[in-house]
């Protein structure tokens, strides 16, 4: 695996163990046609985190997800033999099937996911799902405690499946610095208050020493929610919350991708040959417009298909000149809403193709399958444009991966409802709900002069390469270490109780941004 020099900086942890905890594991052992294969999941989170755990030679604790996973672990769940490119330790947690169903399919993906994404999909709150969520978080806490005991460590928790874990760890691992990154949006307090267990979720998250979001907007929403729901002390100036004498810093760190690794991978001779073959095969002199996502209703796939239909109605001359390749990986298929959505997408694609295809031309080419990251990067490199049509997205790493892998004149069309839209100013902005405007934006992108395409891409590349995933990790780790330093220094007279956090200068350097009311 190629390592970005930035990532090498994160290896200095001053003797502490580095433990990442996520529900999704970075690789699984699966049985296919009688053989066991190692597979990586379609998860922006694991793809982004892997180079960091790799660089720190850390430990990753995650739930098992492959049907052959058990055959490759020891008694405590540690993977016995790593795949050749893996230099960290993976510890698998085997959640009982029914517990996993209620925790993952139920509370995480049928309650919390729709609660946090404004995609007009109603969350459901079942009590037995909540109990399973509590239990699953306890089991993760036991695994982390067993792994680190009372040794000094940095525990870096990922995402919404593990909101209760930080508080549980504060009690069990007194010498651990605990940070969490929330990869999805945090909604406004009005939206969040429909959750019957909102107080427990907030108290769980306030077990963290540091809680990170992609955007200052999400930080502010979180702080407003805490203000509304808990008797906690809010230090708005320093973006921190003090609950029961414990301080939690809340800060924005926009997640990014391993720019250099992706770029070097697509510029290799073999990757270039393959990209040329894909262009020839799927483009045949036509423009190739790509989309890449999990088959998830928050990704606005149906809205995009409608916009494509509208594009050819409004601009009939464009027929046969462009093909839309749709790589959509089946996801969370145990959740009914996802199965229904996948079926609706299949029907919508078939309808558009039946209306318009002809003369050897198919407007939308669906590839509803899993592709390894390196193969997806080659697709990016082959594509004239990429459309990200999310209805709501914490960041959207696909857009940044495209910038890293795209041809020099590639065009990025990016939903204004993604976190990435705040960073990537040179993308063509779209509102996936406004079908006519969406169709017009596609038409405009297809006819954009080459010089403008190149200039936009040059600037986008500068942005993504300047703040890659290594910079993100380095900033978070610096802020966590600063917390440790401040916590062990005598409190100034009249100062705050526990956890002085963090010094202004360092915080600013680390991407800390003051709370500012922003419109979404
Ligand atoms: O980033 C959001 C997220 O839910 C991650 O937690 C997860 O790894 C990814 O999307 C894919 O989802 P899942 O793990 O449910 O397949």
């Amino acid at each position: 695996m190629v390592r970005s020099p930035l990532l090498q900086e994160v290896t200095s942890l001053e003797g502490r163990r580095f433990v990442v905890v996520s529900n999704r594991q970075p690789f699984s052992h699966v049985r296919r046609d009688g053989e066991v294969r190692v597979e990586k999941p379609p998860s922006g989170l694991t793809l982004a985190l892997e180079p960091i755990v790799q660089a720190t030679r850390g430990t990753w604790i995650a739930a098992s997800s492959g049907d052959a996973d058990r055959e490759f672990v020891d008694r405590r769940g540690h993977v016995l033999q790593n795949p050749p490119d893996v230099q960290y330790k993976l510890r698998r947690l085997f959640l009982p099937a029914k517990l996993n169903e209620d925790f993952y399919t139920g509370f995480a993906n049928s309650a919390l996911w729709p609660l946090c994404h404004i995609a007009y999909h109603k969350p459901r709150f079942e009590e037995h799902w909540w109990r399973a969520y509590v239990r699953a978080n306890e089991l993760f806490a036991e695994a982390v405690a067993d792994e680190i005991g009372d040794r000094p460590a940095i525990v870096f928790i990922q995402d919404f499946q593990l909101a209760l874990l930080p508080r549980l760890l504060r009690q069990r691992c007194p010498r651990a610095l605990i940070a969490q990154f929330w990869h999805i949006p945090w909604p406004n307090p009005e939206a969040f208050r429909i959750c019957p267990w909102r107080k427990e979720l907030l108290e769980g998250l306030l077990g963290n020493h540091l809680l990170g979001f992609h955007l200052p907007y999400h930080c502010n929403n979180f702080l407003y929610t805490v203000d509304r729901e808990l008797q906690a002390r809010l230090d708005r100036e320093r973006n921190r919350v003090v609950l029961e004498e414990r301080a939690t810093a809340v800060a924005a760190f926009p997640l990014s991708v391993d720019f250099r690794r992706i770029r070097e991978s697509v510029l290799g001779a073999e990757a270039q040959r393959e990209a040329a073959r894909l262009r020839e095969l799927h483009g045949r002199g036509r423009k190739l417009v790509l989309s890449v996502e999990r088959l998830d209703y928050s990704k606005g796939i149906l809205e995009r298909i409608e916009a494509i239909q509208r594009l050819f109605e409004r601009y009939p001359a464009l027929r046969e000149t462009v093909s839309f390749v749709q790589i959509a990986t089946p996801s969370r298929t145990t959740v009914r809403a996802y199965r229904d959505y996948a079926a609706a997408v299949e029907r919508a694609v078939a309808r558009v193709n039946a209306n318009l295809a002809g003369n050897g031309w198919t407007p939308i080419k669906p590839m509803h399958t899993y592709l390894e990251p390196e193969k997806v990067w080659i697709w990016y490199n082959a594509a004239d444009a990429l459309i990200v049509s999310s209805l709501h997205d914490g960041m959207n790493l696909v857009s940044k991966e495209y910038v890293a892998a795209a041809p020099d004149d590639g065009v990025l069309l990016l939903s204004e409802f993604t976190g990435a839209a705040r960073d990537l100013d040179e993308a063509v902005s779209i509102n996936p709900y406004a079908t006519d405007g969406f169709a017009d934006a596609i038409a405009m992108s297809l006819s954009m002069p080459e010089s403008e395409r190149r200039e936009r891409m040059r600037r986008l590349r500068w942005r993504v390469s300047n703040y890659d995933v290594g910079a993100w990790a380095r900033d978070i780790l610096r802020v966590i270490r600063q917390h440790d330093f401040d916590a062990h220094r005598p409190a100034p007279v009249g100062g705050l109780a526990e956890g002085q956090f963090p010094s202004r200068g360092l915080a600013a350097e680390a991407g800390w941004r003051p709370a500012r009311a922003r419109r979404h």
Side-chain angles (χ1 to χ4, degrees):
M1 183 180 281
V2 183
R3 262 215 272 160
S4 142
L6 275 172
L7 288 173
Q8 289 163 19
E9 292 183 32
V10 305
T11 53
S12 134
L13 298 168
E14 291 145 9
R16 291 193 192 86
R17 295 192 61 186
F18 185 66
V19 180
V20 163
V21 194
S22 66
N23 178 61
R24 179 61 62 194
Q25 60 176 347
F27 62 86
S28 57
H29 285 97
V30 287
R31 205 170 289 287
R32 299 251 182 266
D33 308 322
E35 273 182 28
V36 173
R37 289 217 316 243
V38 171
E39 280 189 2
K40 299 203 168 180
S43 155
L45 180 158
T46 53
L47 196 59
L49 264 290
E50 194 174 39
I52 295 154
V53 195
Q54 193 91 317
T56 56
R57 303 279 197 277
T59 300
W60 195 322
I61 302 178
S64 156
S65 54
D67 54 4
D69 277 352
R70 264 189 204 279
E71 297 162 37
F72 295 85
V73 296
D74 66 13
R75 213 170 30 87
R76 292 164 75 210
H78 293 122
V79 170
L80 287 166
Q81 207 190 341
N82 271 341
D85 59 340
V86 169
Q87 285 147 14
Y88 52 88
K89 189 157 75 170
L90 174 62
R91 175 177 179 147
R92 288 180 174 144
L93 188 61
F94 293 88
L95 299 175
K98 174 71 175 121
L99 179 81
N100 193 48
E101 188 188 322
D102 287 350
F103 154 67
Y104 176 79
T105 305
F107 198 75
N109 288 320
S110 306
L112 272 183
W113 180 268
L115 180 70
C116 291
H117 288 88
I118 313 296
Y120 303 99
H121 192 89
K122 196 171 143 199
R124 283 180 56 200
F125 301 106
E126 302 284 348
E127 244 182 80
H128 64 287
W129 290 352
W130 169 249
R131 282 197 298 273
Y133 187 84
V134 174
R135 182 70 194 130
N137 274 252
E138 282 167 359
L139 292 175
F140 271 96
E142 279 168 23
V144 177
D146 181 57
E147 196 63 39
I148 60 173
D150 60 0
R151 277 170 290 173
I154 292 176
V155 181
F156 190 19
I157 304 166
Q158 307 302 314
D159 228 353
F160 65 98
Q161 298 92 348
L162 300 173
L164 307 178
L165 180 58
R167 189 177 166 94
L168 296 168
L169 289 182
R170 275 255 187 147
Q171 291 147 4
R172 284 165 213 235
C173 307
R175 294 177 73 199
L177 288 170
I178 306 163
Q180 182 160 20
F181 195 78
W182 192 263
H183 288 256
I184 63 176
W186 190 279
N188 66 55
E190 281 306 312
F192 195 73
R193 70 193 284 235
I194 66 167
C195 176
W197 300 285
R198 55 193 182 275
K199 285 193 171 47
E200 289 85 341
L201 289 167
L202 292 169
E203 285 168 359
L205 287 168
L206 291 177
N208 281 298
H209 295 105
L210 170 64
L211 176 59
F213 293 94
H214 292 293
L215 306 179
Y217 176 73
H218 299 151
C219 295
N220 286 338
N221 276 351
F222 178 79
L223 293 172
Y224 289 135
T225 310
V226 168
D227 201 18
R228 182 82 76 93
E229 302 293 345
L230 300 180
Q231 297 290 329
R233 184 148 51 88
L234 239 68
D235 179 354
R236 282 198 182 278
E237 186 140 320
R238 296 207 271 176
N239 278 13
R240 49 177 242 167
V241 182
V242 182
L243 180 70
E244 296 161 5
E245 297 308 310
R246 289 191 313 249
T248 302
V250 178
F253 305 90
L255 181 56
S256 190
V257 297
D258 195 346
F259 180 90
R260 288 183 44 153
R261 179 175 165 217
I262 297 174
R263 192 93 205 117
E264 282 169 18
S265 170
V266 294
L267 291 182
E270 204 178 309
Q272 285 294 298
R273 269 196 299 280
E274 181 58 11
R277 194 185 70 80
L278 292 178
R279 267 193 295 272
E280 174 66 18
L281 190 69
H282 288 268
R284 294 228 178 93
R286 294 182 177 117
K287 295 252 180 177
L288 193 165
V289 179
L290 185 67
S291 53
V292 175
E293 61 246 321
R294 289 181 299 103
L295 257 169
D296 186 314
Y297 52 82
S298 68
K299 302 295 178 188
I301 305 174
L302 289 175
E303 285 73 5
R304 187 177 64 238
I305 294 169
E306 207 180 327
I308 293 170
Q309 165 91 40
R310 191 69 53 88
L311 170 79
F312 293 120
E313 285 162 11
R314 283 165 84 94
Y315 304 92
L318 288 177
R319 291 183 189 193
E320 301 182 29
T321 69
V322 51
S323 282
F324 291 85
V325 174
Q326 177 172 292
I327 300 177
T329 309
S331 176
R332 302 177 184 166
T333 49
T334 51
V335 184
R336 172 130 197 217
Y338 283 70
R339 292 199 300 276
D340 291 349
Y341 191 73
V345 167
E346 298 274 357
R347 285 196 299 274
V349 169
R351 204 168 43 241
V352 172
N353 284 345
N355 282 345
L356 294 167
N359 286 336
W361 171 65
T362 310
I364 304 179
K365 298 181 174 178
M367 291 173 63
H368 295 174
T369 181
Y370 167 75
L371 283 189
E372 284 154 25
E374 289 78 4
K375 295 208 168 120
V376 175
W377 300 342
I378 296 174
W379 270 104
Y380 290 142
N381 190 257
D384 296 292
L386 176 101
I387 305 181
V388 172
S389 51
S390 304
L391 304 180
H392 201 190
D393 222 330
M395 175 51 65
N396 190 274
L397 294 178
V398 163
S399 56
K400 295 190 176 181
E401 287 171 9
Y402 178 67
V403 169
D408 293 344
D409 61 347
V411 179
L412 173 63
L413 292 94
L414 182 58
S415 162
E416 59 181 295
F417 308 122
T418 59
R422 312 289 172 102
D423 285 349
L424 304 181
D425 283 346
E426 292 78 12
V428 174
S429 178
I430 52 167
N431 173 352
Y433 292 100
T435 312
D436 290 322
F438 192 169
D440 289 347
I442 301 175
M444 186 275 273
S445 304
L446 291 172
S447 63
M448 190 184 283
E450 188 185 337
S451 55
E452 183 179 345
R453 294 199 306 266
R454 284 182 181 275
E455 183 54 20
R456 282 181 187 244
M457 185 48 75
R458 193 181 65 76
R459 287 167 179 257
L460 287 169
R461 286 235 176 97
W462 183 85
R463 289 182 193 282
V464 179
S465 60
N466 236 359
Y467 195 83
D468 73 354
V469 70
W472 175 84
R474 186 194 57 209
D475 283 353
I476 290 179
L477 288 174
R478 272 196 202 170
V479 176
I480 299 173
R481 291 212 298 264
Q482 177 70 25
H483 177 91
D484 196 32
F485 173 76
D486 283 338
H488 292 99
R489 156 176 98 174
V493 178
L496 291 151
E498 200 231 322
Q500 296 294 306
F501 195 92
S503 82
R504 275 310 193 70
L506 185 69
E509 198 190 316
W512 178 284
R513 308 199 185 134
R516 215 180 315 130
R518 281 187 69 160
R519 287 199 187 185
H520 189 48

